[in-house]
Amino acid sequence: MEELYDSIAYLYDGTLEGLFTAVFCAFERHEEPADVCRADVYQPRLSQLAVTIETSLPKADRVRKGIIRAAGRRGYRRVRRAALSDSPDAGTAVYRFIAFAMAENAKRPCHSCPRRGTCRSAFAPPKQTSCPRVVGRLIDDVASPAVKPVHKLSVAVNRECEHMRQFIRFRELEGGLFYARCNPKANVVPLIMDHFAERFNVQPFIIFDENHHIAGISEGGDWQLVDTRNWPGHELRLPPEAAGEKEMADAWRRFYRALSVDCRYNPELRRHFMPKRLWKNITEVQGEA
Amino acid sequence: MDIARKLELLADAAKYDVACTSSGVDRSGKKGQLGAATQAGCCHSFTPDGRCVTLMKVLMTNVCTCDCAYCVNRASNLEIERTAFTPRELADLTIGFYRRNFIEGLFLSSGVAGSPDNTTERMISALEILRHEYGFRGYIHAKAIPGTSPELLHQLGLLCDRLSVNMELPSAESLALLAPDKTKRNILAPMRQICDSCAEDAESRSLARRTSGSLAQCRPKTASRAFAPAGQSTQMIIGATPESDHHILNLSAALYRTLSMKRVFFSAYVPVTADPRLPQTDRVQLNREHRLYQADWLMRFYQFDVDEIIDEEDPFLDLEVDPKAAWALRHLDLFPVEVNTASYEVLLRVPGIGVRGAKLILRARRHSTLGEEQLRKLGIAWKRARYFVTCKGAYAVPGVDFSAAWLRAQLTSPIDGGRHGRRSAKEAPGQMSLFDGLDAQQGHMQPAAPASGPKTMAGHKSTPFAALKPPVEALF
C-alpha cells in the first residue's frame, strides 16, 4: 500500500473530538499525515490516501489531557479555539502544534535534567512526560512555524466571537422568546453563549447559526447546544413575531439613521468595523447591503 | 408625539457628543436581573461615518436655556422642533433596546430646561426607574449639567457608571466668547467633586474589604452601589477657537494628572450654524483631531510625556507624520535599536511597534532570535519599523541615508500607491486657513503652519521638576 501513495490524509467529522481522535490515531499508528482535514471540505491531493477516522470519545479525552500536560491550559484553550475555525487548514495546524509540543517536551527528559533534584514535575505521580520549563512558554513562541498557524486561527476565531457579541440582533417572538440568527465564519456559538446567558438570564432566547446549523438555547442562565444538521430543512420551527416588535425595530432604525454626521461620511471605515457579509442579519443595515 | 419620532429628534440633538464608550467597569450578571458590563466595553453598531454606537445616546430634552454659539440646541435656534422624554418612556425604550442586544446601555445627556437642578432631577428619576425598578445592570453614562448642586450630582453618580462634564472649549476666554452661560468655575467644580467622590468611594471600599484587622467585622452585608466606578471623562471642541495643539495637549495632560480623567475626547468642530463668532468654513479638521488622539494615546499607553510630543516653539502637531514618528525623527541619535535586546520601554518608542507588538516581541524573543521574517510574522508594521530597528545586529534596509529628511520622505510617501486611507488624505494641509475669519475680527496671531522640514537633533527638553507642572485651573 505504502508504495502506491506519497502521503496520507486523515478525515474527521468536524467536531473537536473527531479532530483529537485523528491526532491520537496518528501517534498510535506511527504515521505522519500530511493533512488532517474535515471530511466535508477535503480536497484530495495527487496520490494521497484518505483515511476516515471514526470519532472515539475515550481517545479524544486522552489527547485532551495530553495537550494540557504538554502545552498547558493556555495552550489547550488556544487549540480549542483554533479547532472551531472554518478554515480547511485548522486540523493540520492543530495536529502539527500538538506534535511539536510533544517533541519539545521529549527533548528535555527528566532523567538528564540538571534541575531534577528540585523540580516537582520529576517526582509527581503519575510519571510526567512534560517539562514545566517548556509547558508554560510553548504557546508564546508565536514566531515558530508550528505555533504560528494555531495562534493565527485562534485570533481569527476570537475576532469572530467579538463580531457576534456586537452584532447579534434579537427579535421577540410570541410567548416572550427572543430569537437571533447569525452567519459567522467560525463555529463560535458555543463560545459566545456564556456571554449572552449571563446578561439575558431573565429572558429565554435562541441563537441560531445558519452556516453551521447549530442553535444555542438558553433559559434562566443555563444554556445548551442543539445540532440541527439532520433536521428537516435544517431549520427551527418558530412562533410568529410578537406584537410591537416591528415598531421596536423601526425605532432602532430611525435612531441609527439620526446618529450619522454627514460631513464625516466614511463608509470604508464602517465596512472595516462592520463587514458587509454580516449585514443580512443586522437589523439597522439589513436593507442597505 | 410618537415615541420613535421623539427618539429620532433627541438622538439627532445628541449626536455631536463624541464620548461613546462602554468601558471601564466589570459587572457580572446576576440571576433574575437584566444586564452585565464588561471591562473592555462592546460596540454594537457603526454609523455611516464609521463612529461606533455602543450606548443609546440621547438627550432627556432638547429644550435649553443656554445659548452656546456652536450648539444645535441653543436657545436662539428657532429651526428645530423641541421635545422631551418622560423618565418612564426613556427607561422603557432603553430596556427594549437592551433586550435585543442593540445597545450596551444608556448615555444620558440633556439640555438645560428650567434650572440645572430641575434637569438633573429628571435624569435621576429616569435612572432610578432603570436601576431600582427594572434592576438594570448594564452600563449608564450620565452627563453632569454645569451648575447642578453637589447633592444632586452625588445622587446621579451613585446611579451611573461614568459621569462626564463637558469642557466644551479648550480655554476660559473661548468659553466666555462662545458659551456665555457657562463659566470656568461651574465646569471645573463638578469635575473636582467627581474626582474627589470617586477617590473617597474607592478608599472606603478598600477599607471595608480588608480581611485582616479589626475592621473585618464591619464588612457590609449588602453591596452598595459605587460612585461612578468607571470614572469621569470630558470632551472639548477643536478648531472652533484658535488654541494651539500645544495648549490643548498640555490641558489634557493636566486633566489626566490632576483630575484623574479616564478619557479626554476631542471633537473636530462641525459647523451647524452661521454665527459670526465661529470660523466661516465647512471643512472639518478631521486630520488634526486624528493627530491629537494619536498624541493622547502616546501619553496614556506609550509612556510619553507631553513635553516630548510637542513644544512651544512649534505649537501644532505635524499633519504629515504621526506624533510618534515625529518624535523619532527629532531623536535619531537613539535609533536604530536592536529588537532582540531592547527593553519594553524602548520598543514602545519605535514607530511601527505598538503595545501589542512590543509585548509579542518580548514573548517571542525568549525562544528564538528575531529576524525580519519573524517580525513580519508577529504582525508589527514592518514598513515603518524597518527604518528604526536592527535585527541580529544588522540594519534591515540596505542603502539607507539615515537622515531625518530621507526618513521623513519614506514615512510620508503614499502607502499602496495612494489607494490606502484615501478619504482621510483628502483633508490635506491648508486647514489652518480656518482661523482667518476669527483672526480678522479678534487680532489673534496667525498660528504658524507645522514645520515640514527636518528639525535639528536636539534632545528633548524635559522639565526638571515634573511635580511643578501647572494644574488644570492655570491652563484652562
Side-chain angles (χ1 to χ4, degrees):
Chain A
M1 199 109 127
E2 270 93 46
E3 301 88 65
L4 289 175
Y5 298 103
D6 294 338
S7 64
I8 301 180
Y10 281 1
L11 308 185
Y12 66 100
D13 59 358
T15 60
L16 187 66
E17 291 78 19
L19 173 57
F20 284 175
T21 313
V23 173
F24 186 92
C25 293
F27 279 91
E28 188 185 32
R29 300 174 192 174
H30 299 287
E31 288 174 339
E32 281 182 22
D35 291 296
V36 179
C37 194
R38 287 211 317 276
D40 49 341
V41 292
Y42 173 63
Q43 290 194 328
R45 294 175 197 271
L46 273 178
S47 80
Q48 187 172 47
L49 173 67
V51 181
T52 305
I53 304 290
E54 286 296 321
T55 302
S56 143
L57 292 182
K59 287 179 182 174
D61 199 47
R62 279 178 65 182
V63 172
R64 186 182 69 84
K65 283 181 185 151
I67 299 171
I68 293 175
R69 201 169 55 228
R73 286 197 179 274
R74 277 176 59 221
Y76 173 67
R77 276 203 295 274
R78 202 73 62 92
V79 163
R80 198 176 51 182
R81 297 215 151 199
L84 287 173
S85 167
D86 275 0
S87 157
D89 308 326
T92 316
V94 165
Y95 163 68
R96 295 220 174 117
F97 172 72
I98 296 171
F100 173 72
M102 300 286 179
E104 283 295 295
N105 279 301
K107 275 188 207 161
R108 287 173 154 270
C110 287
H111 60 78
S112 59
C113 178
R115 292 165 189 269
R116 67 183 178 281
T118 52
C119 180
R120 272 182 309 164
S121 175
F123 300 103
K127 204 173 134 240
Q128 296 286 316
T129 51
S130 69
C131 173
R133 287 177 67 76
V134 175
V135 171
R137 357 162 113 183
L138 199 73
I139 197 71
D140 287 341
D141 187 10
V142 278
S144 134
V147 182
K148 198 207 161 207
V150 169
H151 174 73
K152 233 177 145 179
L153 286 171
S154 86
V155 167
V157 171
N158 260 343
R159 193 181 306 128
E160 202 59 14
C161 281
E162 182 60 22
H163 276 149
M164 288 304 116
R165 282 193 287 263
Q166 293 178 312
F167 302 129
I168 288 265
R169 296 284 183 263
F170 289 103
R171 286 182 293 132
E172 191 178 359
L173 307 179
E174 269 178 19
L177 172 71
F178 283 76
Y179 172 71
R181 289 175 76 90
C182 59
N183 53 330
K185 266 200 305 200
N187 189 3
V188 295
V189 173
L191 298 177
I192 58 170
M193 283 306 285
D194 271 336
H195 170 84
F196 286 107
E198 183 187 6
R199 59 173 54 193
F200 296 130
N201 62 57
V202 291
Q203 65 192 38
F205 65 87
I206 298 176
I207 296 173
F208 177 64
D209 179 347
E210 57 190 31
N211 286 356
H212 304 88
H213 305 291
I214 279 193
I217 298 174
S218 166
E219 184 163 12
D222 297 328
W223 58 272
Q224 51 192 325
L225 293 175
V226 175
D227 189 348
T228 63
R229 254 176 299 189
N230 303 321
W231 290 22
H234 310 303
E235 286 283 351
L236 308 167
R237 266 186 293 142
L238 295 160
E241 275 189 0
E245 181 54 38
K246 232 180 142 86
E247 286 73 38
M248 200 48 109
D250 188 50
W252 171 244
R253 259 180 232 121
R254 286 169 74 174
F255 171 78
Y256 174 77
R257 296 220 184 94
L259 276 185
S260 181
V261 178
D262 291 336
C263 53
R264 284 170 170 262
Y265 182 65
N266 193 345
E268 292 90 352
L269 190 61
R270 168 168 66 163
R271 280 208 307 274
H272 171 75
F273 288 126
M274 192 156 80
K276 263 199 161 169
R277 68 187 157 87
L278 301 172
W279 283 19
K280 64 176 177 175
N281 286 316
I282 302 178
T283 314
E284 63 270 22
V285 284
Q286 234 157 17
E288 289 181 43
Chain B
M1 195 189 292
D2 177 18
I3 181 107
R5 174 73 187 143
K6 265 192 197 178
L7 176 65
E8 203 171 16
L9 283 173
L10 292 170
D12 189 66
K15 70 180 174 190
Y16 297 105
D17 241 313
V18 275
C20 195
T21 53
S22 51
S23 55
V25 61
D26 228 340
R27 193 184 305 121
S28 62
K30 197 171 183 183
K31 194 106 175 162
Q33 286 193 338
L34 179 70
T38 51
Q39 181 66 37
C42 183
C43 299
H44 281 281
S45 189
F46 293 88
T47 55
D49 50 26
R51 297 187 307 159
C52 96
V53 183
T54 170
L55 304 171
M56 186 171 93
K57 183 159 50 179
V58 288
L59 299 186
M60 196 78 210
T61 172
N62 60 355
V63 179
C64 194
T65 55
C66 293
D67 201 31
C68 309
Y70 49 81
C71 178
V72 71
N73 302 313
R74 68 194 178 285
S76 59
N77 189 358
L78 302 174
E79 288 159 23
I80 60 165
E81 206 176 329
R82 307 279 171 168
T83 183
F85 275 126
T86 64
R88 174 72 53 183
E89 282 172 345
L90 186 67
D92 286 345
L93 207 54
T94 309
I95 295 292
F97 278 5
Y98 192 85
R99 289 171 85 103
R100 287 163 181 79
N101 202 36
F102 293 162
I103 52 169
E104 197 69 5
L106 175 67
F107 178 110
L108 187 58
S109 180
S110 182
V112 186
S115 72
D117 281 354
N118 265 344
T119 315
T120 310
E121 273 167 7
R122 280 173 73 84
M123 289 164 68
I124 289 175
S125 59
L127 298 192
E128 272 177 346
I129 295 175
L130 272 176
R131 289 289 196 213
H132 299 156
E133 198 171 308
Y134 292 116
F136 180 63
R137 290 173 69 84
Y139 194 90
I140 294 178
H141 180 149
K143 275 258 156 191
I145 312 285
T148 310
S149 62
E151 296 78 22
L152 284 174
L153 188 59
H154 189 78
Q155 223 177 324
L156 188 66
L158 290 176
L159 288 166
C160 65
D161 292 305
R162 176 167 284 183
L163 263 176
S164 60
V165 187
N166 278 1
M167 194 124 228
E168 310 289 7
L169 293 162
S171 74
E173 298 84 66
S174 303
L175 203 65
L177 176 71
L178 295 180
D181 302 297
K182 293 177 181 162
T183 60
K184 174 178 170 175
R185 214 201 135 269
N186 70 13
I187 287 177
L188 289 184
M191 280 185 182
R192 176 63 67 187
Q193 190 200 336
I194 296 167
C195 173
D196 292 346
S197 299
C198 282
E200 190 187 308
D201 188 82
E203 198 172 323
S204 56
R205 270 161 191 276
S206 73
L207 276 176
R209 286 218 184 92
R210 272 222 310 231
T211 46
S212 64
S214 57
L215 282 173
Q217 283 81 25
C218 309
R219 196 171 181 180
K221 289 280 186 300
T222 51
S224 61
R225 194 169 280 287
F227 183 91
Q232 66 167 330
S233 66
T234 189
Q235 68 162 354
M236 54 183 104
I237 298 170
I238 303 305
T241 49
E243 281 85 11
S244 66
D245 291 346
H246 176 256
H247 174 85
I248 291 165
L249 286 174
N250 271 293
L251 175 63
S252 70
L255 285 169
Y256 287 126
R257 198 171 56 237
T258 57
L259 289 173
S260 53
M261 287 279 164
K262 294 287 181 199
R263 279 293 293 277
V264 176
F265 291 95
F266 307 114
S267 157
Y269 167 69
V270 172
V272 288
T273 160
D275 188 296
R277 291 171 288 173
L278 290 168
Q280 302 303 309
T281 176
D282 51 357
R283 264 173 129 176
V284 186
Q285 292 180 314
L286 292 179
N287 259 0
R288 186 174 171 209
E289 183 193 281
H290 178 58
R291 292 290 182 230
L292 281 170
Y293 273 125
Q294 285 180 320
D296 184 59
W297 247 250
L298 290 185
M299 290 197 283
R300 294 196 299 137
F301 301 116
Y302 289 77
Q303 307 167 5
F304 272 78
D305 193 75
V306 62
D307 299 327
E308 294 175 88
I309 300 168
I310 199 159
D311 54 26
E312 229 158 332
E313 285 119 61
D314 200 4
F316 282 85
L317 289 172
D318 198 334
L319 291 179
E320 273 188 340
V321 293
D322 62 273
K324 192 174 165 190
W327 178 86
L329 292 176
R330 287 197 298 270
H331 297 93
L332 282 182
D333 48 337
L334 306 176
F335 292 101
V337 298
E338 168 59 46
V339 278
N340 287 300
T341 54
S343 69
Y344 177 67
E345 290 74 25
V346 172
L347 284 176
L348 275 185
R349 302 238 157 184
V350 177
I353 299 181
V355 173
R356 189 182 143 277
K359 285 185 177 158
L360 272 176
I361 287 175
L362 291 194
R363 272 158 63 176
R365 75 185 183 192
R366 283 156 64 179
H367 297 271
S368 52
T369 321
L370 302 178
E372 177 190 340
E373 200 186 333
Q374 285 83 3
L375 285 175
R376 279 173 183 276
K377 273 187 188 169
L378 290 178
I380 68 165
W382 180 246
K383 261 188 177 158
R384 305 163 62 71
R386 60 183 166 177
Y387 303 116
F388 299 96
V389 296
T390 54
C391 307
K392 302 172 193 166
Y395 196 57
V397 196
V400 162
D401 164 20
F402 197 76
S403 69
W406 189 87
L407 287 173
R408 170 179 286 272
Q410 300 305 308
L411 290 175
T412 53
S413 65
I415 303 162
D416 199 12
R419 285 194 302 278
H420 186 81
R422 64 190 188 281
R423 195 172 289 274
S424 61
K426 275 182 191 162
E427 310 290 331
Q431 289 179 337
M432 296 307 161
S433 60
L434 249 180
F435 298 124
D436 288 351
L438 205 79
D439 293 336
Q441 191 189 5
Q442 290 221 313
H444 275 295
M445 283 274 290
Q446 173 76 16
S452 52
K455 288 187 63 178
T456 49
M457 292 222 310
H460 84 268
K461 302 180 203 104
S462 64
T463 330
F465 303 105
L468 290 183
K469 280 181 180 165
V472 184
E473 283 80 1
L475 288 165
F476 180 56

